[in-house]
């Protein structure tokens, strides 16, 4: 779609965020909380939020996910606001994503694509970059289109939404398949190296303590306080991506190896769990997990359930290995006094 005198050029730094309430179990309140999280994800990528909305979805359209009326309103809204990006906080099929881009005339990014972009932005180490690229290739394999990138934003325009010819599609499939094989081979080397390091620490008698938790719960802040490591700690979703390990001397005089990990999130894309398996093995191999919780967050219990769900899946994949878990309640000072006292009493009663 080319801009006309009546249609302003759309800004690829400006986004509309939409959280569809497609589940009967999801209340409007829960939807609003998830919308705030989606807005936070978009902002973590440096996007300006032009509008954000959580609204019920009666039926999912196989063609465009939303009904034709909603798609038309999104098109009008994006033109009015000059928003070049539409963030849909839900998984879209390749067909739905391409049709939405064609009908609206803006770049469409689903939840998985958005999280992949953030991970790509945060990766600093060779291992982290390999893991993100593997996840991205797995995502692109099903779509046979390039995921949205900062380079594309810098070039301007809305990107090509038409599909390539059949020959080009087959070529893309082969290129992606070959790249995935190469990346898996490189990450397998990383996995073996990590295994050797863990066994060396075990022989040295150093227990492994791993911090886990929902993204932005405060793991890196606690890690820095305990280890003086200087890991990036910001009030931002997925501020930490690359794992960091440091030796810590406890008050008893005993030393442990403490590791910070990437934060979990609800509906964590399966591509990321699979790609970060080498890193997440540290979780199942740990002697103790410290589950850092943002106890002041309105969805703290839901976040806990999401973290425990990921841990259960990792344990299942590791043949049932499940280290003991100790909860660390962070940001409790942000609660009002009555709520804080009530939480502490319940924790005492539960033996936490």
């Amino acid at each position: 779609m080319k801009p006309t005198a009546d249609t302003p050029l759309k800004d690829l730094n400006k986004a509309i965020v939409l959280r569809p309430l497609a589940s009967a179990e999801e209340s409007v309140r829960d939807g609003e909380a998830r919308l705030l999280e989606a807005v936070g994800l978009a902002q973590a990528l440096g996007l300006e939020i032009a509008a954000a909305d959580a609204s019920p979805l009666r039926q999912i359209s196989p063609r465009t996910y939303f009904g034709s009326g909603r798609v038309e309103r999104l098109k009008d809204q994006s033109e009015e606001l000059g928003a070049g990006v539409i963030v849909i906080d839900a998984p879209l099929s390749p067909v739905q994503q391409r049709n939405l881009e064609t009908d609206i005339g803006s770049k469409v990014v689903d939840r998985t694509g958005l999280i992949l972009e953030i991970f790509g932005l945060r990766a600093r180490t060779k291992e982290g970059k390999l893991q993100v690229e593997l996840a991205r290739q797995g995502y692109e394999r099903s779509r046979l289109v390039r995921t949205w990138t900062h380079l594309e934003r810098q070039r301007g325009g809305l990107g090509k939404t038409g599909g390539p010819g059949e020959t080009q599609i087959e070529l893309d499939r082969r290129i992606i398949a070959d790249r995935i094989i190469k990346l898996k081979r490189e990450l397998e080397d990383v996995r073996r190296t990590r295994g050797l390091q863990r066994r060396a620490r075990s022989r040295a008698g150093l227990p492994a303590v791993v911090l886990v938790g929902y993204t932005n719960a405060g793991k890196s802040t606690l890690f820095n306080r305990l280890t003086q490591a200087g890991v990036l700690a910001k009030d931002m979703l997925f501020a930490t991506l690359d794992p960091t390990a440091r030796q810590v001397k406890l008050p008893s005089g005993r030393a442990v190896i403490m590791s910070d990990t990437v934060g979990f999130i609800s509906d964590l894309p399966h591509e990321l769990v699979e790609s970060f398996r080498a890193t997440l093995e540290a979780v199942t191999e740990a002697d103790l997990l410290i589950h850092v919780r943002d106890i002041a967050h309105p969805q703290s219990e839901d976040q806990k359930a999401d973290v425990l769900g990921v841990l259960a899946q990792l344990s299942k994949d590791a043949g049932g290995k499940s280290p003991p878990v100790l909860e660390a309640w962070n940001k409790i000072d942000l609660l009002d006094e009555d709520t804080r006292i009530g939480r502490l009493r319940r924790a005492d009663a539960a033996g936490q």
Side-chain angles (χ1 to χ4, degrees):
M1 186 186 76
K2 295 182 178 179
T4 66
D6 299 323
T7 305
L9 181 66
K10 293 184 178 181
D11 186 352
L12 282 167
N13 289 303
K14 187 179 291 186
I16 294 172
V17 180
L18 189 61
R19 169 64 188 177
L21 307 182
S23 170
E25 291 81 21
E26 186 172 20
S27 67
V28 173
R29 180 179 176 183
D30 290 341
E32 291 291 343
R34 287 291 296 269
L35 176 64
L36 287 175
E37 181 177 272
V39 167
L41 288 170
Q43 289 174 330
L45 205 54
L47 290 171
E48 174 190 345
I49 309 304
D53 183 38
S55 59
L57 179 66
R58 287 192 294 270
Q59 186 175 357
I60 295 177
S61 163
R63 183 184 180 277
T64 52
Y65 194 84
F66 302 101
S68 57
R70 185 63 198 237
V71 173
E72 190 65 30
R73 289 196 298 275
L74 269 174
K75 177 182 178 182
D76 294 341
Q77 188 180 27
S78 68
E79 290 175 355
E80 179 185 349
L81 298 174
V85 180
I86 308 294
V87 175
I88 309 297
D89 188 38
L92 300 178
S93 73
V95 170
Q96 289 168 337
Q97 183 177 1
R98 285 196 294 269
N99 286 336
L100 280 172
E101 289 185 344
T102 301
D103 293 354
I104 298 173
S106 293
K107 194 66 184 176
V108 174
V109 187
D110 70 355
R111 183 177 178 85
T112 299
L114 186 64
I115 294 175
L116 281 172
E117 284 293 332
I118 296 171
F119 273 49
L121 190 66
R122 298 280 186 269
R124 291 291 181 268
T125 65
K126 179 183 177 182
E127 178 189 355
K129 291 176 181 178
L130 284 172
Q131 291 173 133
V132 171
E133 187 179 353
L134 179 59
R136 187 191 297 279
Q137 294 289 344
Y139 180 74
E140 288 180 351
R141 178 169 55 182
S142 67
R143 291 163 196 268
L144 294 178
V145 294
R146 291 189 61 80
T147 49
W148 177 64
T149 66
H150 284 278
L151 181 61
E152 185 177 82
R153 291 167 63 192
Q154 291 165 6
R155 283 200 304 264
L158 297 177
K160 182 179 178 182
T161 55
E166 190 66 28
T167 302
Q168 186 61 46
I169 288 177
E170 293 302 323
L171 177 61
D172 288 347
R173 281 200 181 108
R174 187 163 59 252
I175 291 172
I176 289 176
D178 290 345
R179 184 61 181 154
I180 286 175
I181 291 171
K182 184 175 185 294
L183 289 167
K184 285 184 174 180
R185 190 179 300 125
E186 292 184 54
L187 281 171
E188 187 59 35
D189 291 339
V190 171
R191 187 177 185 176
R192 282 195 293 267
T193 300
R194 283 192 176 277
L196 291 172
Q197 291 171 343
R198 282 195 297 269
R199 285 192 288 275
R201 288 195 294 265
S202 178
R203 286 195 298 270
L206 296 177
V209 178
V210 177
L211 302 182
V212 297
Y214 208 81
T215 180
N216 205 33
K219 296 182 301 300
S220 295
T221 300
L222 176 60
F223 184 77
N224 286 338
R225 182 67 63 89
L226 294 172
T227 67
Q228 308 300 314
V231 170
L232 174 65
K234 298 181 69 175
D235 185 13
M236 177 188 296
L237 298 179
F238 296 119
T240 302
L241 178 59
D242 296 307
T244 307
R246 293 288 188 275
Q247 184 170 316
V248 177
K249 196 168 186 179
L250 302 177
S252 64
R254 187 178 187 184
V256 300
I257 296 295
M258 182 165 288
S259 302
D260 191 14
T261 60
V262 61
F264 299 155
I265 196 168
S266 57
D267 300 329
L268 187 67
H270 71 275
E271 293 94 346
L272 287 174
V273 175
E274 180 64 30
S275 301
F276 278 72
R277 190 165 301 280
T279 298
L280 293 175
E281 276 184 352
V283 173
T284 54
E285 297 289 340
D287 295 291
L288 174 67
L289 299 180
I290 298 181
H291 178 190
V292 182
R293 292 181 58 189
D294 178 356
I295 204 66
H297 195 283
Q299 307 299 124
S300 184
E301 291 300 323
D302 292 335
Q303 291 182 352
K304 175 181 178 179
D306 288 327
V307 170
L308 294 181
V310 174
L311 291 179
Q313 183 59 50
L314 292 174
S315 174
K316 180 180 178 182
D317 294 344
K321 293 182 182 178
S322 183
V325 180
L326 175 67
E327 281 194 12
W329 286 6
N330 192 30
K331 308 183 187 182
I332 197 168
D333 55 304
L334 299 180
L335 294 173
D336 62 75
E337 186 176 2
D338 289 343
T339 304
R340 184 167 62 251
I341 291 173
R343 289 272 175 94
L344 291 173
R345 283 176 177 168
R346 284 198 298 275
D348 288 339
Q352 292 180 328

